[in-house]
Amino acid sequence: MSGFNKVVNSYEDALEGLQDGMTVIAGGFGLCGIAENLIAEIKRKGTKELTIVSNNCGVDGFGLGVLLEDRQIKKMVSSYVGENQMFMDQLLDGSLEVELTPQGTLAEKMRAGGAGIPAFFTATGYGTAVGEGKEVKQFHGRNYILEESITGDFAIIKAWKADRYGNAIYRDTAMNFNPMAATAGKITVMEVEEIVEPGELEPCNIHTPGIYVDRLIQGTFEKRIEQRTLRAV
Amino acid sequence: MALTRDQMAQRVAGELQDGFYVNLGIGIPTLVANFINDDINVMLQSENGLLGMGPFPTEDEIDADMINAGKQTVTAVTGASIFSSAESFAMIRGGHVDLTVLGAFEVDTKGNIASYMIPGKLVKGMGGAMDLVAGADNIIVMMTHASKSGASKLLTQCTLPLTGAKCIRKVLTELAYLEIKDGKFHLLERAPGVSVDEIAELTEGELVIPDHVPEMQL
């Protein structure tokens, strides 16, 4: 068996080593492109005190929202939350902490974290609550704040297809945060709709090269739609 | 008469030019897409990673993997591209988007904008709004001129937590189109049938009124 084979046989194996208090970076935007089965496995495992870095926190009963049911999340780092009542309840009773982070800054924190860049300057958030307490520096007459990058103990990723080496492609807007999140985990676990043989995906079309992927598993997905909007025909 | 939401969208659509890449915020700004002149080509950017957003899908076209920044199912137009969130915000933060349209609770004469948080009320987050206002040169804020009780939202100093500092130059309300310049609001146009006095009455921040204020052409 090739040392590059990333395929694991069960969701239990996929999240082996995930412990209480760890930081998990999760791809996805709303319910689009989320690692549904890995989230379900975290719930089954019962890991607690987690810090979750994800643009959103799912909805009641689906996506990351299910981790609120047994109070497994200690802290969320997100740009937009509160689509779920349980989230708001736990926020208000003080058991859940939220670090609101501008969406572009969040994406860049993951990208930088995965690229070995410890921090970066950005104009986003300067002069707002986000910039409070952060170092400010002027470049070309404009003020920027210093934002630290993010890495996680685990990253949980949903892609469309990957070969056994972990070379992966995403489908449509289910890409979103997944490529950056994939680079920022000490252990990156990816679930896909289809595992193919190396060579079946064009090398020039790969979105996430296999070097970032530690464990790969094929799953089946519900792909729940958050806002079903249609046009009249 | 004050503009309707659709008329506000129609007025902003008049600012679009052929070849523009445009980001429309959630809420009233989304309506601008319904009034784009057929003579021009515009690509709509959705910050979850889509350039060339099309209309909502039909029942047959609906696809859970195709959504917009409001998490609504959408389609992509011919010539669209799809990319990661980091790429999407590189476009936004790097100043590559030609026009950004977004809503607000308050703006002030310094060009500050407050749009994401009312203390004591539910805080859901800023999403991409802080990136959009910090990254774009050309921003139009669409908002109501005053609260239902008549309290101005065009202020000397925003009272709510800011989304961005000194970044707004154009504001369209149901009453007026204004520019923020030199620490003042400058009245550019008034809604058809709305008097300059009505606008001045509901503008708390310093307002510069030129001798002639044209009515908006819709």
Side-chain angles (χ1 to χ4, degrees):
Chain A
M1 195 51 109
S2 166
F4 295 118
N5 181 30
K6 308 294 172 71
V7 180
V8 295
N9 293 319
S10 69
Y11 277 94
E12 202 176 346
D13 289 347
L15 288 175
E16 170 65 34
L18 180 68
Q19 290 168 15
D20 291 355
M22 281 187 165
T23 295
V24 178
I25 303 187
F29 184 93
L31 302 181
C32 183
I34 58 171
E36 312 179 1
N37 302 294
L38 290 168
I39 293 166
E41 176 61 18
I42 296 174
K43 178 171 170 61
R44 194 200 62 78
K45 228 171 134 68
T47 318
K48 292 212 189 310
E49 298 283 306
L50 293 170
T51 294
I52 307 274
V53 183
S54 167
N55 192 54
N56 316 95
C57 192
V59 296
D60 282 326
F62 197 68
L64 289 166
V66 303
L67 301 184
L68 298 165
E69 292 165 6
D70 301 319
R71 296 183 179 266
Q72 291 174 264
I73 305 175
K74 179 185 68 180
K75 180 178 174 181
M76 282 300 302
V77 180
S78 305
S79 86
Y80 194 85
V81 291
E83 301 292 358
N84 26 11
Q85 187 57 44
M86 203 173 276
F87 189 97
M88 300 320 290
D89 292 345
Q90 292 183 24
L91 189 60
L92 292 171
D93 77 18
S95 62
L96 178 64
E97 188 190 335
V98 179
E99 184 178 326
L100 286 177
T101 304
Q103 198 174 137
T105 296
L106 186 62
E108 194 64 15
K109 277 171 175 263
M110 292 183 194
R111 196 195 70 80
I117 298 164
F120 55 90
F121 282 101
T122 177
T124 299
Y126 171 75
T128 76
V130 167
E132 274 169 27
K134 290 175 184 161
E135 185 183 335
V136 175
K137 193 164 174 176
Q138 240 184 37
F139 298 92
H140 312 294
R142 192 165 181 209
N143 290 311
Y144 295 80
I145 58 173
L146 187 66
E147 289 279 10
E148 288 189 28
S149 65
I150 296 179
T151 55
D153 298 295
F154 274 77
I156 55 172
I157 307 303
K158 157 70 175 41
W160 180 27
K161 295 179 184 180
D163 66 27
R164 285 184 292 106
Y165 294 178
N167 296 306
I169 57 174
Y170 305 92
R171 187 170 171 276
D172 291 343
T173 61
M175 180 188 291
N176 55 62
F177 282 85
N178 280 296
M180 289 76 66
T183 68
K186 286 193 191 82
I187 297 174
T188 290
V189 188
M190 174 182 281
E191 60 174 331
V192 296
E193 294 173 42
E194 188 184 354
I195 295 177
V196 300
E197 287 305 308
E200 285 188 44
L201 303 174
E202 283 291 331
C204 66
N205 288 344
I206 299 297
H207 293 129
T208 290
I211 191 169
Y212 297 115
V213 179
D214 298 291
R215 302 173 190 172
L216 177 67
I217 189 163
Q218 183 173 307
T220 52
F221 298 84
E222 177 185 335
K223 293 198 189 180
R224 195 177 292 186
I225 291 173
E226 199 163 340
Q227 305 273 349
R228 191 182 183 85
T229 44
L230 294 169
R231 75 168 181 274
V233 226
Chain B
M1 279 286 286
L3 301 182
T4 63
R5 286 156 55 100
D6 275 346
Q7 286 174 318
M8 288 174 72
Q10 202 180 341
R11 177 62 193 88
V12 170
E15 297 295 303
L16 303 180
Q17 293 173 25
D18 195 21
F20 259 24
Y21 297 103
V22 178
N23 184 292
L24 301 177
I26 293 164
I28 306 184
T30 308
L31 299 175
V32 174
N34 300 336
F35 295 95
I36 299 172
N37 193 322
D38 289 339
D39 302 342
I40 64 172
N41 280 315
V42 166
M43 285 273 186
L44 299 178
Q45 207 258 14
S46 187
E47 61 263 30
N48 57 316
L50 170 60
L51 188 59
M53 177 170 52
F56 293 145
T58 62
E59 190 75 53
D60 290 342
E61 291 169 335
I62 202 161
D63 183 341
D65 290 339
M66 264 317 275
I67 65 165
N68 65 14
K71 289 144 194 160
Q72 299 168 311
T73 46
V74 289
T75 57
V77 299
T78 303
S81 55
I82 291 173
F83 34 81
S84 73
S85 301
E87 187 79 49
S88 182
F89 281 93
M91 293 172 195
I92 291 166
R93 292 151 68 110
H96 303 277
V97 176
D98 296 299
L99 175 66
T100 291
V101 184
L102 75 171
F105 301 137
E106 295 175 343
V107 292
D108 70 27
T109 51
K110 296 170 199 68
N112 296 327
I113 173 171
S115 68
Y116 84 102
M117 179 185 181
I118 297 177
K121 286 199 180 171
L122 203 62
V123 183
K124 288 192 166 186
M126 69 292 283
M130 284 193 181
D131 304 286
L132 284 159
V133 298
D137 265 342
N138 191 10
I139 303 170
I140 299 176
V141 171
M142 291 176 83
M143 61 188 292
T144 52
H145 210 101
S147 71
K148 287 197 180 79
S149 60
S152 179
K153 298 179 180 181
L154 275 60
L155 305 169
T156 308
Q157 177 73 55
C158 287
T159 63
L160 298 168
L162 297 184
T163 309
K166 299 178 187 168
C167 51
I168 304 302
R169 288 203 286 274
K170 294 279 178 65
V171 182
L172 179 84
T173 74
E174 76 283 21
L175 303 179
Y177 190 38
L178 309 101
E179 183 175 14
I180 302 172
K181 202 170 57 179
D182 308 324
K184 299 177 182 89
F185 292 110
H186 295 253
L187 187 54
L188 300 178
E189 298 173 13
R190 60 200 167 86
V194 171
S195 73
V196 165
D197 287 347
E198 283 174 75
I199 296 164
E201 176 84 3
L202 290 171
T203 307
E204 187 270 325
E206 190 176 348
L207 180 66
V208 177
I209 304 167
D211 291 341
H212 174 65
V213 182
E215 281 193 355
M216 281 176 211
Q217 301 296 314
L218 297 171

